[in-house]
Every structure is written in C-alpha cells, then in structure tokens.
Amino acid sequence: MRAVDFDLPDEDDPRRLEVRAWLQAHPHPSPRDLARAGYVAPHWPAPWGLDADPVHQILLDDELARAGVKRPSGGIAIGWAGPTLLHAGTPEQKRRHLWPILEGEVWCQLFSEPDAGSDLARLATRAVRDGDEYVVTGSKIWTSGAHRARYGILLARTDPDQPKHQGVSYFVCPMDLPGITVRPLVDMTGQHLFNEVFFDDVRIPADHLVGEENRGWTLAKVTLGNERISLSGGGALWGGGPSAFDLLDVVRRQGGTRDAVLRQRLAQLYIEADILRLIRLRTVTAAVRGEPPGAEASVRKALADRHGRTIMNLAKDLAGPAGMLAGTGPLGAEAGPWHHGFLFSSALEIGGGTSEVQRNIIGERVLGLPHDIDVEVGRTWASARVPEPAERRQ
Ligand SMILES: Cc1cc2nc3c(=O)[nH]c(=O)nc-3n(C[C@H](O)[C@H](O)[C@H](O)COP(=O)(O)OP(=O)(O)OC[C@H]3O[C@@H](n4cnc5c(N)ncnc54)[C@H](O)[C@@H]3O)c2cc1C
C-alpha cells in the first residue's frame, strides 16, 4: 500500500499561481503582510486564514519555502491560544487578539504547577470573581517564554467544591498586570527558556474569561483538532534543531566510520527516522482524504521524543570524550547544535506530556487496556487525535 495516497497539485494549479503572484507583489513580506494574506495559519477560517484544506496548506508551504519566505513562528500563540479563541472567544476577544497573534506576538501557557504536571487537573491556582474582575492567587512553573510574553493562557480553579476536572476556568492573562512576578529558571543548556510565575492578588478583567466559567477543562482540550498539516518533519527538538538525516550527513561528510557498533547504531537511527517519516506521511494522507486522525499522532509522539534523544546521544558518542566540550571533537566546528541538542534532549520526554504518560494513553485508548489515572489534558495532546474504538484502524 502506498504511504502517501495523493498527488500534489501541478505546477500550474491556480492556487500555486495565486501565491506566486502575491510573492511577486510582496518579495520581502513582513509578518503583517503574511498575516493579512492568510498565509500564517491558512487552515484558520477567514478573515484570519483561508479555510485551506490540507492539500492547499501543503502547496502554500511549498511555494513559500521555494521563495525562501519564513512565517512568524507559531509557538503557543498560534498553536494553542489562537485556536481556542477561534473556538470559544467572544467577538471582542477575537478582534483584540487574533491579528497580533498571527503577526508573531509571543504568548505563554500558564498550565503546570508545582503539584500539577501530568495530572494537571490537580491545579490549585485560584480565581475568585469580584465584581468585574477575577482575583488570581497561586503559582505556575515551567512556563516557557513567560518573560517575553505579552499574554498567557491561564487555567485557574474557580470552584474548588466541584470535582477536579470541573470548576476550572480558562483566561487570557495580560502578563504586565500588577501582582504577577516572573522568575527565571535556567535549564542545564544554560538557556533561560522557562520560568516560575507567581500570582499575588492579580486582578484579571472578567471579559478575559474564555468560554464559560468552570468549563475551562473542555477548552484546554480543544486545540489539536485544528493542527496545521505539513509534509515537513523539521528537526528532532520539537520541530527545531538538527534531524537524524542531518547527523547522517555529517557522518558521511566526515568520511564515515568502520566502527562496527557505531555502524549498527547509525543504521538503527536511519530505520527509526524512516519509520517516523512514514508515520507522518500516513497522517497527512489521512487528513487529505478527510479521514479522522488515527493512532499515528500518539504513536509518533511516543517514538519521536525518544528518537530525538537517541540522535543527540549518538552525536555525542561520535564526538568522543572531547564532545563534552562544545565545539570540539570529531564533529569539530559542526558540534554546536549537537552539543546544545544533547543537553536539551532530556526535555523531549517530559514537555508536552511525558513519554510514560503517552504510552499509558496508547495502552488505554489504542490497546484497550484498563484505565490508569486521569491524564486528560495538555499533557496528552497527541491523544486528542486517537479515535474511539469503533473508528480504529486495524
Ligand atoms: C522544556 C519544557 C517546557 C515546558 N513548558 C511548559 C509551558 O510552557 N507551560 C506549562 O504549563 N508547562 C510546561 N512544561 C511542563 C510540562 O508540561 C510538565 O513538566 C510535564 O507535563 C510533566 O509534569 P511534571 O514535571 O509535574 O512531572 P510529573 O507529572 O510529576 O511526573 C514525574 C514522573 O512520573 C511519571 N508519571 C506521572 N504520571 C504517570 C502515570 N500516570 N503513569 C506513569 N508514569 C507517570 C512521569 O512520566 C515522570 O517521569 C514544560 C516542560 C518542559 C520540559
């Protein structure tokens, strides 16, 4: 059976010609130009997107890549906040936030807490209604980009008497409100990616509530159905950084290796990378055919995060003992991204839902094993795409 059961539109497809004409008129498009053309999130509805079906999205990717045009990177704003606002935001919230999001405004995700990670429903940050405001008290942790973000999407408990999955509300939180303290957490790569965020009687205007009070849990699960379709797999570090194929290229450029064990490991790496590539193509094929997403997305995340670590460990081993110092060893000047990747790659199996939790979900929802614990949101986003038993492909 073919892995990809569709053909990309011809070179003279009118949708291609339209993009090319636009690019001629905008040879160096700004983020604003790209946003207004609907090219940043083409799968979003008009006027923010083009209601683009998967083939149209791939075609657009193709044309922009050929022209060397980069879109504003999506992150939490385009991947999470935007789709949630599209789904449940008021007209005013959409008007206020969606264009800046498409133009590259930075948002953060204020979900995890010191005692609520995989089991996010244990979150304890409180939001108490007081007139036209909610008063928020508590703390969040591991908040990527909070120090740069203009807004955050915040989950807070509005009714502690309800069961833990209920009584939670979803807010848009301006990060410059009085009472918010952002404290840096420097990770072992040396970078300041995430933060602790403290809320000390922070007053959020009530019109920043998204959807209904106490119904935030459902909203937190909304977004991935709206995922953008792309043929490109990107790098091993959550779409960024180098990939297995990049490492194999480096090894070839450096003359290869006759070391029997390293050869085995390199071949194994290639096998994993190819399996992941095929899984991605199957996912795209299903989307193009309009089929419900299968178990591939969950399986892919569980495999891809481990694969990322394998790539970086192998790169480090290839560099030998000197590889413990950045920029040295057999990878020489090429070592930079691998050194960073090695240090960062442990995060792959934690962030966005740990590998253990991911496998638990596959066990429960794909294999039909008994229920383990409540791990329903955020941490399990790939699982949002796993079909009900009746829809499962054999
Ligand atoms: C780089 C990075 C960026 C992040 N950015 C953000 C962000 O922007 N916003 C945000 O809100 N959060 C963010 N996080 C936090 C992330 O979502 C949590 O770290 C993650 O969900 C795990 O939660 P925890 O750290 O509390 O670990 P815990 O949930 O305490 O897990 C500890 C260990 O127990 C295991 N475990 C837990 N439950 C089960 C189970 N049921 N079955 C088997 N094993 C289990 C886990 O796999 C893990 O090994 C980020 C994390 C990282 C690494």
Side-chain angles (χ1 to χ4, degrees):
M1 194 180 112
R2 288 170 69 196
V4 182
D5 206 4
F6 63 91
D7 295 316
L8 284 179
D10 293 338
E11 285 296 309
D12 59 356
D13 184 282
R15 290 170 297 181
R16 282 193 190 277
L17 300 181
E18 194 184 321
V19 186
R20 285 178 201 163
W22 186 87
L23 283 166
Q24 269 194 343
H26 304 83
H28 305 291
S30 65
R32 186 182 166 85
D33 295 334
L34 287 160
R36 299 286 155 166
Y39 290 172
V40 176
H43 55 305
W44 286 13
W48 306 285
L50 303 172
D51 279 309
D53 63 27
V55 171
H56 193 174
Q57 292 175 46
I58 293 167
L59 175 155
L60 193 59
D61 277 359
D62 197 29
E63 292 297 330
L64 293 179
R66 282 192 209 179
V69 170
K70 282 208 166 126
R71 289 179 271 201
S73 64
I76 284 159
I78 294 178
W80 283 81
T84 309
L85 291 172
L86 279 169
H87 175 79
T90 61
E92 170 57 18
Q93 286 170 344
K94 291 180 188 171
R95 192 197 60 71
R96 196 187 305 147
H97 296 302
L98 290 178
W99 288 119
I101 283 177
L102 290 170
E103 289 171 22
E105 188 171 71
V106 177
W107 285 49
C108 62
Q109 186 202 55
L110 298 153
F111 283 12
S112 298
E113 297 184 6
D115 290 323
S118 303
D119 191 4
L120 184 62
R122 293 181 58 191
L123 64 91
T125 293
R126 287 293 317 274
V128 179
R129 180 90 189 223
D130 180 22
D132 288 343
E133 295 171 324
Y134 284 89
V135 182
V136 180
T137 315
S139 69
K140 298 286 174 177
I141 195 165
W142 316 125
T143 318
S144 306
H147 52 303
R148 296 187 294 114
R150 172 98 179 74
Y151 292 97
I153 45 176
L154 167 72
L155 285 183
R157 192 163 295 287
T158 31
D159 186 349
D161 297 328
Q162 293 197 32
K164 66 177 181 176
H165 290 103
Q166 295 157 28
V168 170
S169 299
Y170 194 117
F171 297 92
V172 167
C173 176
M175 292 302 289
D176 57 359
L177 287 178
I180 294 182
T181 308
V182 177
R183 249 191 237 156
L185 290 169
V186 176
D187 66 33
M188 70 184 190
T189 69
Q191 69 182 345
H192 171 197
L193 169 70
F194 39 43
N195 304 272
E196 290 176 286
V197 181
F198 299 92
F199 292 83
D200 192 5
D201 288 336
V202 175
R203 292 189 162 265
I204 299 184
D207 65 358
H208 286 44
L209 173 74
V210 185
E212 289 174 47
E213 190 179 276
N214 296 331
R215 302 297 296 275
W217 195 254
T218 319
L219 277 189
K221 292 196 283 183
V222 159
T223 47
L224 265 212
N226 199 13
E227 206 175 15
R228 192 169 73 80
I229 295 296
S230 166
L231 270 181
S232 85
L237 306 175
W238 287 329
S243 69
F245 297 113
D246 292 326
L247 181 61
L248 295 169
D249 281 347
V250 174
V251 172
R252 272 192 292 265
R253 276 204 299 278
Q254 308 255 345
T257 174
R258 291 189 187 281
D259 181 297
V261 174
L262 283 177
R263 291 166 72 97
Q264 291 288 316
R265 289 175 67 189
L266 287 165
Q268 181 62 32
L269 190 71
Y270 170 79
I271 291 168
E272 284 174 22
D274 212 37
I275 289 171
L276 282 163
R277 188 178 65 81
L278 294 172
I279 291 175
R280 183 169 55 255
L281 293 179
R282 281 181 62 182
T283 309
V284 174
T285 301
V288 167
R289 290 193 193 132
E291 290 172 5
E296 292 91 355
S298 250
V299 172
R300 194 194 57 75
K301 176 160 169 48
L303 276 179
D305 293 343
R306 172 59 58 92
H307 176 65
R309 290 190 73 176
T310 308
I311 297 170
M312 300 306 161
N313 280 326
L314 183 48
K316 192 48 74 184
D317 290 349
L318 282 164
M324 297 316 284
L325 303 172
T328 57
L331 294 178
E334 300 198 58
W338 305 104
H339 187 79
H340 170 84
F342 173 74
L343 292 175
F344 184 78
S345 61
S346 336
L348 296 174
E349 293 198 85
I350 303 172
T354 70
S355 291
E356 289 79 14
V357 167
Q358 202 59 37
R359 284 190 286 270
N360 248 338
I361 292 158
I362 292 172
E364 186 185 320
R365 301 203 191 160
V366 180
L367 305 183
L369 302 180
H371 184 64
D372 173 49
I373 60 157
D374 284 327
V375 278
E376 268 213 47
V377 75
R379 315 307 168 222
T380 65
W381 38 69
S383 72
R385 315 188 72 199
V386 177
E388 292 305 309
E391 297 171 337
R392 269 183 220 140
R393 279 181 234 138
Q394 298 303 311

